Amino acid sequence: TADGLLTKPFWPAYDLEVLPNRDALPYAAAYGLGDAAVFRGTLRFGGFAATVRGLRALGLLDAGGSSSPPSIFDAPAAADLTAARRLLAWLDEDRDDAVAEQNFLDRLAAKLALRPTDRDLVLMRHDLLVRWPASDPVSATRRSATLHLLGDGDRGGPTAMATTVGLGAASAADLAVHGTVPPGFSTPADTRWS
């Protein structure tokens, strides 16, 4: 789109947009992919970027509750301000005195906090296009694959984030502590511990 976002119907049940997520180029070297094109994005619900631009323009994304006005180059569209105002109206619903005295980020964190009866959701998508080399570039074989992960947490039990990230990190730490894997950076294709 014009604002640098990708909007794709990865999962039709969710209105998602993809925000570019930091510099992905070092991953090509780390995974031994040479000069492969690598893109890394973060999935957010549709309207997330517009809301954040609007909140930034209103000076609400500073940890102290205020920030300097945006430059002319950061001028948000009217739709961004409308999205931010919708979020502010949602935050002020059922507002009590304790929440009213908090700054914006504290109010937002309190409203979005995961309650014991809530469930979280982790969505991940990998699109791979592989070209197997051949002696003749015309006869090189191309293969594509799409990998999805959709995980949801249990009410009153482990969250999807704890299960998908925490268990993996804990397992890797346990393997490293017990000397099963060598120290340092490893990839799934690393032959040092196969």
Side-chain angles (χ1 to χ4, degrees), residues 11 43 120-124 149-153 159-162 164-165:
W11 287 278
L43 297 173
D120 68 334
L121 178 68
V122 172
L123 301 171
M124 190 182 304
L149 169 71
L150 191 152
D152 58 343
T159 63
M161 193 62 136
T164 59
V165 177

Side-chain angles (χ1 to χ4, degrees), residues 36-182:
V38 177
F39 172 82
R40 184 173 175 224
T42 297
L43 297 173
R44 293 288 184 253
F45 287 113
F48 175 85
T51 302
V52 169
R53 279 192 305 268
L55 293 171
R56 183 170 176 233
L58 295 172
L60 294 172
L61 291 183
D62 177 78
S66 63
S67 66
S68 59
S71 74
I72 191 157
F73 301 108
D74 297 330
D80 298 343
L81 294 173
T82 300
R85 288 188 181 106
R86 275 197 305 269
L87 175 66
L88 292 172
W90 175 75
L91 275 178
D92 290 339
E93 288 179 0
D94 303 318
R95 192 167 126 173
D96 61 20
D97 292 336
V99 174
E101 294 174 9
Q102 296 172 337
N103 72 31
F104 167 74
L105 293 177
D106 288 340
R107 289 188 355 244
L108 183 62
K111 186 87 169 190
L112 295 178
L114 197 66
R115 297 174 305 240
T117 57
D118 291 341
R119 294 169 57 190
D120 68 334
L121 178 68
V122 172
L123 301 171
M124 190 182 304
R125 177 184 171 107
H126 292 273
D127 291 312
L128 307 169
L129 177 61
V130 179
R131 184 179 319 210
W132 298 104
S135 56
D136 175 11
V138 175
S139 63
T141 304
R142 291 174 57 139
R143 298 270 191 257
S144 64
T146 300
L147 308 164
H148 291 122
L149 169 71
L150 191 152
D152 58 343
D154 297 327
R155 282 190 176 87
T159 63
M161 193 62 136
T163 302
T164 59
V165 177
L167 288 179
S171 297
D174 185 61
L175 291 171
V177 165
H178 291 96
T180 308
V181 297

